C-alpha cells in the first residue's frame, strides 16, 4: 500500500498519505516516531490523531495545576509565617523592602531566563537540570542538577520541621518531651521561652515525611487532587492575617501590638542589627550577629520554589506555554504580597514585639490564632509535598541521560513513576529531619537553590549573547543583560547565605561546599560525554573564530611560535589489528609540546575512490580519534581518501589548517623496511613527501628507530646530541629543549656538534656558538668537529673513501647498488629509445656527484657513531633531495646516513626563525 500511494501522484495529498502509512508501519514495529508540532507550539488540529503517536497515556497537567499552584505552594512556606515579621524587626521596614526587592528581583529575572530557555524547543523531564545541561554541558548540568536535587530534598525536611514545630507550639501537650529554656531577651524582665524538644521534632518529622511519601507514590493524579486541599486553607489563613492586622488595636490582641500606626511605621523604618542566640532572641552574648547579607540568606528560601513547575516538565501538557505563564504569575503574586506584608508588619507592632514574637502572624490573626497554625502546617506540608514530588523526578531525569553510571538505579521508563528515586529522596529528607535545626537547614537550601538559579541565568546569558542560529525562543521578553544581572544577584545572595551558614555552623558550611565541589569533580572524572550541543561549544566556536581572525595570516613572531605537528600515520609496514597508528607516534608528538600544551594533527590516507570509501574513512577517523584520546595526546584526527598516497599527502599539505593554525611541522617515520621487504614504490613516495614539504615551506622531522622510542615511564640518561650542519631557524635547538621538559629526558644533557672544514678556525666558531646559545637561554656543551672536504682526486685505488672506518663495506654496497640501478635505467632507456628517466622526470647523474653524496653521508654517520654511540637521542640535519637524482639514489644516501644509529631525528627547518634572542 505504501508503494501504491507513493506512485499515485494524481492525488494532491499523495505524499502526506504515504507519510501516514509509513509512520503506521513503523509504529507497528515498535519504533518511536517523534510527532511534529505546528509552529504555534500545539498539535495541528487538522492532522489525524493516530493512537500509536500517543505512547504515553500518563496524566498531563495544565498551567494552573501543573505550574502555578506548585510554585505558589513552594513559595508560600514556613519562612513567611514564623520568620518574616522577625526579619522586619531586625532590618526595619526599609531594610526589609531591600531584602524582598533583592530576592524577588533575583527570582523574577531567573523566571524570565527560565521562560526563554524553556520555550527554545521541546523540553523533557528534569526542569532546570535539562535546561542547564543542554546550555552549559553535561558536567555543569549534572553537577548543578544534583545540587538542586539535594536542595529540594533538604527543603522538604525544612518544610516538615516547620510544620511539626508549629504543631507542637500550638498543641504543647502533644509533645512527648518538653524543653523550657530561660534566655535573656530584649524585654525588661527575662521571660521563660518554651521550645519544642529536638526529639519531638525528629519523631513527628519522620512520621509526617513517611505519610507524604505515600501520597507521592500515588502519582501526579493523586498530587493534583491533594494540592488544592493544602493550598485553599493557606490562602484563607493569609486573608485572616490581613484582616487581623487591619482590626488590631493598641495592646490588642496582645501587648506590643499597636494597630496600624504611623508612629510604629517611623520607629520601625530603620534597621536594628544586633547579636542573637540560636533561637533569634536578642542576646549580647549570643553567637550570631545579623546584618543585611545574613538576612538575605535567611529570607531567600521564602522566594524559592519557582522551579516547582519546571521540575515536573515531563508531566505538563504544554511546557512552552505553561512554564513561562505559571512561573511568572506565581513569582509576581508572592513578591507583591511580601512587599505589602513588610509595610503591614512594620506598622502593626513595636520593634520589641517583632523581635520576641516569632509567631506574630498567629498573634494578630482574626478571628483565632488556630487558623494560622492550620495555615502554617498546611502550607509547609504542601511545600514539602511539592519538594518530594519534584526531587525524585529531577533525579530520575539525570539518571535517564546516562551521564553517571552510578545513577542507573534511578532510571525510569517514559511516563513511569520514579519509585526508587522517591525512596532515596525520602531517606535524605528523614536524615535532615534528624538534624532538627531549621535555621541551619534554611541557608543550606539557599546555597543549592542559588547555584541552580545562577546556572539558569548564565545559560540564558550565554545562549542569548552567542545568538546561535538554533536560539529561537518563543518567549521574546528577555535580554542577555537581564540574565547577567540575575546571575550577579544570585552571587550576591549566595554570599549572604554563606555568611549566615558560617555564623550558624562553619563546619556544616565547609561540608556543604565540599560536597558541591566533589559532585562536580566526580562528574568531570566519571561522567560520560553527552552529545547535547551545549552553549559552551558555541562559545568555543566563536572564540576560535575571533582568535583565528586576530592571529591573521602574517608570519608568527618567533616569541609566539608553537609547533603544530602534522603526524603522518602511514606506517610503512604492518601494524597490529585495530591499531590505527604506530603506538610510539603519539608519544613522540607529546615530546614536541611544552607541558603537554599544543595541538597535533594526526592524518592518514585511505587509498581508493572517495565515493566508495567515504564511510570507511569515517570509521577510520573515529578509530584514530579514539586512539589519540587513549594515548592522552591533545590532537585531532583526519582521514583523507585519495587515489594514491602522494596525491593525498599533496592535498593535505596544501589545505590542512586555517590561517596561522596550519601545521608547521610534518612528522613521519623513516621507512626502514623498504629494502628488506623490497617495497620499490616507497623511495618515490618518501622523496615526494619531502619535496612537497619543502615547496609548502613546512619543517620536516623524520623519526628513525621509532620502535625504540621511550614512553613516559622509561627514564633516559646520557646526552641529546645535535649535529648542527645547516641553518634551520633554530628548530633543532628548540626540539632539544622541548625534549628536556619531558620527564623521560629531564636527566639528559645537550651537546651541540658543529661541523667545520679543516681550514676553518674551530675555536672562533665554538665561541660564537656558545654566545649564541647563551643569548637563547639554552644550556649546551659545544663541540666543533673538523671534517675534510670531499675531493674526487683523493680517492684510494679501490674507489672508496679515504678512511679505514668499519662503514667502508656499507659504502661499497651502496655504491654497487647505485651502479646496477643506473645501468638498468640506461638499458631500459636505450631499448625504449627515450632519454634517461626515473620517477617520471629526466635524470642527469654525475658519478662523481653521487660519490660525493655517499662520501659525505658516510663521514657524517661515522662521526655520529664515534661521538654519540651512547646518546639518548641524536638530531641531525636533513639533506635535501638532489634535483636530478632518482629517488632510489636518495634512499641509498639516507640509509648510509642512519646506518647503526638506534634513535635518530632527521630535522629540516623552514624559512622562518622559531627561536629569538629578544625578550
Amino acid at each position: 500500500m505504501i508503494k501504491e500511494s507513493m506512485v499515485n501522484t494524481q492525488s494532491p495529498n499523495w505524499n502526506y498519505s504515504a507519510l501516514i502509512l509509513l509512520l503506521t508501519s513503523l509504529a507497528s514495529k515498535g519504533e518511536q516516531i517523534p510527532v511534529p508540532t505546528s509552529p504555534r507550539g500545539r498539535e495541528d488540529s487538522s492532522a489525524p490523531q493516530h493512537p500509536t503517536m500517543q505512547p504515553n497515556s500518563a496524566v498531563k497537567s495544565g498551567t494552573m495545576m501543573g505550574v502555578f499552584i506548585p510554585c505558589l505552594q513552594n513559595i508560600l512556606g514556613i519562612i513567611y509565617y514564623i520568620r518574616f515579621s522577625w526579619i522586619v524587626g531586625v532590618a526595619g521596614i526599609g531594610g526589609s523592602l531591600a531584602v524582598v526587592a533583592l530576592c524577588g528581583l533575583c527570582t523574577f529575572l531567573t523566571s524570565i531566563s527560565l521562560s526563554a530557555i524553556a520555550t527554545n524547543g521541546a523540553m523533557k523531564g528534569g526542569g532546570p537540570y535539562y535546561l542547564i545541561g543542554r546550555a552549559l554541558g553535561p558536567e555543569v548540568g549534572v553537577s548543578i542538577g544534583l545540587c538542586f536535587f539535594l536542595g529540594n530534598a533538604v527543603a522538604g525536611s525544612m518544610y516538615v520541621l516547620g510544620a511539626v514545630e508549629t504543631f507542637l507550639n500550638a498543641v504543647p501537650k502533644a509533645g512527648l518531651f518538653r524543653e523550657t529554656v530561660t534566655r535573656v531577651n530584649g524585654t525588661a524582665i527575662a521571660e521563660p521561652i518554651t521550645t519544642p524538644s529536638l526529639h519531638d521534632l525528629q519523631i513527628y518529622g519522620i512520621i509526617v515525611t513517611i505519610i507524604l511519601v505515600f501520597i507521592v507514590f500515588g502519582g501526579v493524579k493523586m498530587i493534583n487532587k491533594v494540592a488544592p486541599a493544602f493550598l485553599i486553607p493557606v490562602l484563607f489563613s493569609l486573608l485572616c492575617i490581613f484582616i487581623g492586622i487591619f482590626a488590631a488595636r493598641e495592646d490588642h490582641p496582645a501587648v506590643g501590638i499597636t494597630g496600624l500606626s504611623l508612629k510604629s511605621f517611623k520607629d520601625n523604618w530603620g534597621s536594628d542589627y544586633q547579636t542573637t542566640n540560636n533561637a533569634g532572641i536578642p542576646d549580647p552574648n549570643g553567637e550570631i550577629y545579623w546584618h543585611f547579607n545574613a538576612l538575605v540568606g535567611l529570607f531567600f528560601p521564602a522566594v524559592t520554589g519557582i522551579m516547582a513547575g519546571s521540575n515536573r516538565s515531563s508531566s505538563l501538557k504544554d511546557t512552552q506555554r505553561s512554564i513561562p505563564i505559571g512561573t511568572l504569575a506565581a513569582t509576581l503574586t508572592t513578591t507583591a504580597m511580601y512587599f505589602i506584608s513588610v509595610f503591614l508588619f512594620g506598622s502593626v507592632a513595636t520593634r520589641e514585639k517583632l523581635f520576641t514574637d516569632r509567631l506574630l502572624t498567629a498573634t494578630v490573626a482574626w478571628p483565632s490564632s488556630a487558623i494560622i497554625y492550620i495555615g502554617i502546617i498546611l502550607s509547609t506540608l504542601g511545600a514539602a509535598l511539592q519538594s518530594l514530588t519534584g526531587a525524585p523526578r529531577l533525579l530520575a531525569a539525570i539518571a535517564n541521560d546516562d551521564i553517571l553510571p552510578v545513577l542507573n538505579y534511578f532510571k525510569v521508563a517514559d511516563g513511569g513513576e520514579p519509585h526508587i528515586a522517591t525512596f532515596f529522596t525520602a531517606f535524605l529528607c528523614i536524615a535532615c529531619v534528624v538534624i532538627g535545626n531549621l535555621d541551619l537547614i534554611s541557608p543550606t537550601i539557599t546555597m543549592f537553590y542559588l547555584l541552580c538559579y545562577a546556572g539558569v541565568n548564565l545559560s540564558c546569558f550565554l545562549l542569548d549573547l552567542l545568538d546561535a542560529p538554533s536560539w529561537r525562543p518563543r518567549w521574546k521578553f528577555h535580554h542577555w543583560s537581564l540574565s547577567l544581572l540575575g546571575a550577579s544577584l544570585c552571587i550576591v545572595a549566595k554570599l549572604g547565605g554563606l555568611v549566615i551558614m558560617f555564623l550558624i555552623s562553619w563546619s556544616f558550611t565547609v561540608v556543604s561546599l565540599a560536597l558541591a565541589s566533589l559532585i562536580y569533580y566526580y562528574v568531570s572524572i566519571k561522567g560520560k560525554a553527552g552529545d547535547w550541543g551545549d552553549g559552551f561549544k558555541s562559545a568555543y566556536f566563536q572564540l576560535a573564530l575571533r582568535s583565528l581572525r586576530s592571529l591573521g595570516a602574517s608570519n608568527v613572531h618567533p616569541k609566539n611560535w608553537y609547533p603544530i605537528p602534522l603526524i603522518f600515520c602511514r606506517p610503512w609496514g604492518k601494524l597490529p589489528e585495530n591499531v590505527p597508528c604506530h603506538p610510539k607516534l603519539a608519544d613522540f608528538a607529546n615530546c614536541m609540546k611544552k607541558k603537554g600544551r599544543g595541538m597535533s594533527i594526526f592524518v592518514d590516507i585511505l587509498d581508493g575512490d572517495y565515493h566508495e570509501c567515504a564511510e570507511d574513512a569515517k570509521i577510520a577517523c573515529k578509530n584514530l580519534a579514539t586512539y589519540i584520546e587513549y594515548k592522552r595526546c591533545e590532537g585531532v584526527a583526519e582521514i583523507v581518501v585519495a587515489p594514491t598516497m602522494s596525491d593525498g599527502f599533496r592535498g593535505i599539505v596544501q589545505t590542512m589548517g586555517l590561517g596561522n593554525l596550519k601545521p608547521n611541522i610534518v612528522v613521519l617515520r623513516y621507512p626502514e623496511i623498504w629494502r628488506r621487504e623490497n617495497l620499490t614504490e616507497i623511495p618515490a613516495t618518501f622523496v615526494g613527501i619531502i619535496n612537497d614539504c619543502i615547496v609548502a615551506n613546512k619543517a620536516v622531522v623524520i623519526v628513525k628507530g621509532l620502535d625504540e622510542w621511550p614512553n613516559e615511564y622509561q627514564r633516559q640518561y646520557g646526552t641529546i646530541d645535535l649535529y648542527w650542519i645547516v641553518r634551520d631557524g633554530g628548530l633543532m635547538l628548540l626540539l632539544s629543549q622541548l625534549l628536556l621538559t619531558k620527564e623521560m629526558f629531564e636527566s639528559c644533557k645537550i651537546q651541540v656538534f658543529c661541523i667545520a672544514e679543516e681550514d676553518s678556525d674551530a675555536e672562533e666558531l665554538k665561541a660564537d656558538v656558545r654566545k649564541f646559545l647563551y643569548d637563547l637561554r639554552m644550556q649546551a656543551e659545544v663541540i666543533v668537529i673538523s671534517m675534510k672536504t670531499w675531493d674526487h682526486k683523493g680517492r684510494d685505488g679501490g674507489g672508496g673513501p679515504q678512511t679505514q672506518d668499519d662503514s667502508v663495506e656499507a659504502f661499497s654496497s651502496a655504491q654497487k647498488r647505485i651502479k646496477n640501478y643506473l645501468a638498468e635505467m640506461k638499458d631500459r632507456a636505450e631499448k625504449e629509445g627515450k632519454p634517461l628517466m626515473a620517477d617520471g622526470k629526466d635524470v642527469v647523474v654525475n658519478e662523481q656527484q653521487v660519490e660525493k653524496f655517499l662520501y659525505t653521508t658516510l663521514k657524517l654517520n661515522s662521526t655520529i657513531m664515534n661521538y654519540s654511540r651512547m646518546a639518548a637521542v641524536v638530531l641531525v640535519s636533513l639533506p635535501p633531495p638532489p634535483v636530478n637524482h632518482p629517488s632510489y639514489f636518495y634512499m641509498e644516501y639516507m640509509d648510509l646516513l642512519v646506518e647503526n644509529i638506534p634513535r635518530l631525528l632527521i630535522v629540516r627547518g623552514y624559512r622562518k626563525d622559531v627561536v629569538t634572542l629578544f625578550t
Side-chain angles (χ1 to χ4, degrees):
M1 293 181 63
I2 299 175
K3 184 175 180 180
E4 292 175 359
S5 300
M6 295 179 68
V7 173
N8 183 16
T9 58
Q10 300 299 321
S11 173
N13 294 325
W14 67 272
N15 53 351
Y16 184 77
S17 301
L19 176 62
I20 293 298
L21 289 171
L22 179 61
L23 292 175
T24 305
S25 63
L26 291 176
S28 64
K29 298 177 183 179
E31 298 187 24
Q32 294 284 338
I33 305 299
V35 183
T37 57
S38 71
R40 296 181 181 180
R42 58 180 182 270
E43 295 179 355
D44 190 357
S45 58
S46 63
Q49 301 298 318
H50 198 277
T52 58
M53 295 185 187
Q54 302 290 341
N56 184 10
S57 59
V59 178
K60 296 291 185 178
S61 304
T63 302
M64 178 64 70
M65 297 303 301
V67 180
F68 180 75
I69 288 180
C71 289
L72 203 63
Q73 281 189 308
N74 263 26
I75 296 173
L76 293 176
I78 188 66
I79 298 297
Y80 176 79
Y81 285 101
I82 67 175
R83 296 293 187 269
F84 194 49
S85 61
W86 179 86
I87 291 174
V88 174
V90 176
I93 296 176
S96 300
L97 291 174
V99 169
V100 174
L102 176 63
C103 297
L105 182 61
C106 181
T107 54
F108 176 72
L109 295 176
T110 304
S111 300
I112 292 178
S113 300
L114 175 68
S115 301
I117 305 177
T119 57
N120 188 52
M123 181 177 172
K124 296 181 180 179
Y129 153 72
Y130 183 85
L131 304 177
I132 297 172
R134 270 58 179 180
L136 301 182
E139 292 88 358
V140 178
V142 173
S143 303
I144 294 180
L146 288 176
C147 288
F148 190 56
F149 159 73
L150 292 176
N152 275 276
V154 174
S157 65
M158 182 191 74
Y159 298 134
V160 169
L161 285 175
V164 172
E165 181 179 340
T166 304
F167 171 73
L168 293 175
N169 284 327
V171 189
K173 294 182 179 180
L176 304 176
F177 307 89
R178 186 171 302 174
E179 181 179 356
T180 302
V181 183
T182 302
R183 303 185 185 277
V184 178
N185 53 39
T187 60
I189 301 175
E191 296 180 357
I193 301 173
T194 303
T195 59
S197 170
L198 174 63
H199 301 302
D200 285 334
L201 293 176
Q202 294 169 340
I203 294 173
Y204 281 101
I206 293 173
I207 295 173
V208 171
T209 303
I210 293 174
I211 294 174
L212 293 177
V213 169
F214 275 110
I215 297 176
V216 172
F217 269 105
V220 176
K221 187 175 182 180
M222 174 68 71
I223 295 169
N224 288 342
K225 290 181 178 179
V226 174
F230 284 105
L231 181 62
I232 293 174
V234 171
L235 297 178
F236 180 73
S237 68
L238 293 176
L239 179 63
C240 293
I241 292 173
F242 293 143
I243 294 175
I245 290 176
F246 283 102
R249 297 293 181 263
E250 186 172 356
D251 294 333
H252 179 79
V255 176
I257 300 297
T258 64
L260 292 178
S261 168
L262 183 61
K263 181 178 183 302
S264 299
F265 179 86
K266 293 179 180 179
D267 292 341
N268 295 331
W269 177 262
S271 61
D272 189 10
Y273 301 121
Q274 54 184 284
T275 303
T276 69
N277 56 29
N278 289 331
I281 306 301
D283 186 350
N285 299 320
E287 300 177 356
I288 305 175
Y289 177 75
W290 294 93
H291 48 79
F292 181 80
N293 285 345
L295 291 177
V296 168
L298 178 63
F299 175 73
F300 197 85
V303 296
T304 59
I306 60 173
M307 301 293 180
S310 60
N311 283 347
R312 302 164 61 177
S313 55
S314 60
S315 303
L316 297 176
K317 294 179 183 177
D318 187 351
T319 58
Q320 299 190 39
R321 181 178 181 274
S322 298
I323 290 178
I325 296 176
T327 305
L328 284 170
T331 302
L332 293 175
T333 299
T334 53
T335 302
M337 188 197 73
Y338 287 144
F339 275 119
I340 295 173
S341 298
V342 169
F343 288 104
L344 295 179
F345 287 146
S347 303
V348 79
T350 62
R351 175 93 61 177
E352 188 177 325
K353 186 65 174 177
L354 295 174
F355 270 138
T356 56
D357 193 348
R358 301 294 291 271
L359 277 170
L360 182 66
T361 52
T363 302
V364 301
W366 178 91
S368 171
S369 60
I371 297 176
I372 302 306
Y373 288 116
I374 296 173
I376 294 174
I377 294 172
L378 292 180
S379 70
T380 50
L381 292 180
L385 181 65
Q386 297 301 333
S387 295
L388 293 174
T389 303
R393 284 161 173 75
L394 177 58
L395 183 60
I398 299 174
N400 284 343
D401 276 336
D402 200 22
I403 300 297
L404 282 181
V406 73
L407 299 180
N408 288 342
Y409 300 103
F410 303 112
K411 287 184 177 180
V412 294
D414 290 341
E417 290 294 329
H419 296 310
I420 299 179
T422 302
F423 272 121
F424 183 67
T425 305
F427 172 77
L428 292 179
C429 184
I430 290 174
C432 293
V433 166
V434 172
I435 296 175
N437 190 335
L438 188 64
D439 287 331
L440 177 60
I441 294 175
S442 175
T444 307
I445 300 168
T446 299
M447 293 298 97
F448 290 136
Y449 277 136
L450 284 173
L451 185 64
C452 178
Y453 294 173
V456 171
N457 283 301
L458 287 176
S459 300
C460 187
F461 165 73
L462 183 64
L463 294 171
D464 211 0
L465 189 65
L466 296 175
D467 200 17
S470 61
W471 177 244
R472 300 184 304 275
R474 290 192 174 93
W475 180 263
K476 302 300 182 183
F477 306 102
H478 66 92
H479 192 266
W480 63 264
S481 59
L482 296 178
S483 300
L484 181 60
L485 176 61
S488 302
L489 290 177
C490 287
I491 295 173
V492 172
K494 193 169 184 179
L495 292 176
L498 281 174
V499 169
I500 187 174
M501 285 179 69
F502 272 106
L503 290 174
I504 295 174
S505 175
W506 66 268
S507 58
F508 196 82
T509 304
V510 171
V511 171
S512 300
L513 296 178
L515 178 62
S517 303
L518 285 175
I519 289 175
Y520 178 81
Y521 180 76
Y522 180 78
V523 174
S524 302
I525 298 299
K526 298 293 185 179
K528 301 178 183 178
D531 187 16
W532 296 342
D534 58 85
F536 277 130
K537 298 293 191 301
S538 181
Y540 297 152
F541 178 77
Q542 295 288 348
L543 182 61
L545 288 180
R546 183 165 298 183
S547 301
L548 190 62
R549 287 195 299 267
S550 64
L551 283 175
S554 58
N555 292 340
V556 177
H557 192 275
K559 286 192 298 184
N560 303 322
W561 189 87
Y562 284 84
I564 306 178
L566 188 147
I567 312 297
F568 189 47
C569 297
R570 184 58 68 100
W572 308 114
K574 295 182 179 180
L575 288 175
E577 189 177 358
N578 298 326
V579 178
C581 179
H582 192 286
K584 295 297 181 68
L585 266 178
D587 294 331
F588 178 74
N590 280 330
C591 290
M592 300 180 69
K593 303 171 185 177
K594 187 175 182 180
K595 298 180 180 179
R597 297 171 184 164
M599 181 181 70
S600 301
I601 303 176
F602 289 76
V603 298
D604 200 358
I605 298 169
L606 194 61
D607 298 333
D609 181 77
Y610 175 71
H611 294 283
E612 297 177 356
C613 302
E615 291 301 321
D616 293 337
K618 292 179 182 178
I619 296 173
C621 186
K622 184 178 181 180
N623 293 337
L624 183 56
T626 304
Y627 168 79
I628 296 170
E629 184 178 358
Y630 166 75
K631 296 294 288 185
R632 293 183 295 179
C633 182
E634 289 187 358
V636 295
E638 294 289 345
I639 301 293
V640 176
V641 180
T644 64
M645 186 192 300
S646 298
D647 293 337
F649 185 83
R650 195 167 292 123
I652 288 172
V653 81
Q654 292 182 77
T655 60
M656 191 65 67
L658 293 172
N660 274 327
L661 287 182
K662 290 183 177 180
N664 46 33
I665 301 177
V666 176
V667 179
L668 65 156
R669 182 189 184 189
Y670 183 77
E672 303 170 50
I673 64 170
W674 76 279
R675 179 181 289 112
R676 183 173 69 247
E677 299 188 10
N678 195 26
L679 300 176
T680 56
E681 76 280 357
I682 284 184
T685 304
F686 182 71
V687 174
I689 288 174
I690 295 176
N691 285 326
D692 290 340
C693 293
I694 294 174
V695 172
N697 195 27
K698 307 289 185 185
V700 182
V701 177
I702 301 172
V703 187
K704 192 263 179 182
L706 189 61
D707 293 333
E708 289 78 31
W709 191 264
N711 59 36
E712 57 182 326
Y713 305 109
Q714 295 174 322
R715 183 178 291 271
Q716 302 297 302
Y717 299 93
T719 59
I720 299 174
D721 293 350
L722 282 67
Y723 286 83
W724 199 10
I725 302 173
V726 297
R727 184 177 182 275
D728 63 350
L731 178 59
M732 194 183 298
L733 293 171
L734 185 61
L735 286 178
S736 65
Q737 295 296 319
L738 292 175
L739 290 177
L740 282 183
T741 63
K742 298 302 174 183
E743 186 175 355
M744 66 184 82
F745 291 110
E746 64 182 3
S747 300
C748 298
K749 295 182 180 180
I750 297 178
Q751 293 184 143
V752 177
F753 293 86
C754 298
I755 310 299
E757 297 181 359
E758 286 184 331
D759 55 353
S760 62
D761 189 343
E763 291 301 322
E764 182 180 356
L765 176 60
K766 186 174 183 178
D768 291 343
V769 175
R770 279 181 172 175
K771 176 65 167 57
F772 180 68
L773 294 177
Y774 177 80
D775 291 339
L776 288 176
R777 293 89 63 202
M778 295 182 180
Q779 294 183 354
E781 181 182 355
V782 179
I783 301 172
V784 177
I785 300 175
S786 297
M787 183 181 294
K788 185 177 180 180
T789 305
W790 180 86
D791 184 3
H792 72 281
K793 297 179 181 180
R795 295 178 294 128
D796 59 19
Q802 293 180 340
T803 178
Q804 299 299 322
D805 197 281
D806 296 336
S807 301
V808 172
E809 182 180 352
F811 175 88
S812 301
S813 299
Q815 192 177 43
K816 182 178 179 180
R817 286 191 297 269
I818 287 177
K819 286 182 178 180
N820 293 337
Y821 186 82
L822 185 59
E824 292 177 2
M825 290 173 54
K826 289 179 178 179
D827 291 342
R828 191 183 309 112
E830 290 177 1
K831 289 180 181 179
E832 296 177 357
K834 296 180 180 179
L836 195 62
M837 296 185 67
D839 308 324
K841 61 182 179 180
D842 294 337
V843 174
V844 180
V845 177
N846 186 315
E847 292 187 9
Q848 291 183 355
Q849 192 177 23
V850 171
E851 191 171 336
K852 176 182 178 180
F853 276 109
L854 290 173
Y855 174 82
T856 303
T857 53
L858 173 64
K859 287 295 294 182
L860 184 55
N861 176 268
S862 301
T863 303
I864 294 173
M865 293 302 296
N866 288 336
Y867 290 93
S868 305
R869 186 181 297 271
M870 303 302 294
V873 184
V874 177
L875 290 84
V876 66
S877 299
L878 172 69
V883 178
N884 296 319
H885 289 211
S887 302
Y888 181 86
F889 289 12
Y890 184 72
M891 291 302 298
E892 290 288 354
Y893 308 151
M894 292 296 295
D895 276 358
L896 198 57
L897 173 63
V898 305
E899 183 76 19
N900 296 323
I901 303 175
R903 200 179 291 155
L904 179 68
L905 302 181
I906 314 170
V907 182
R908 176 178 175 81
Y910 58 161
R911 297 185 296 272
K912 293 178 182 178
D913 289 331
V914 299
V915 292
T916 179
L917 304 176
F918 304 102
T919 302

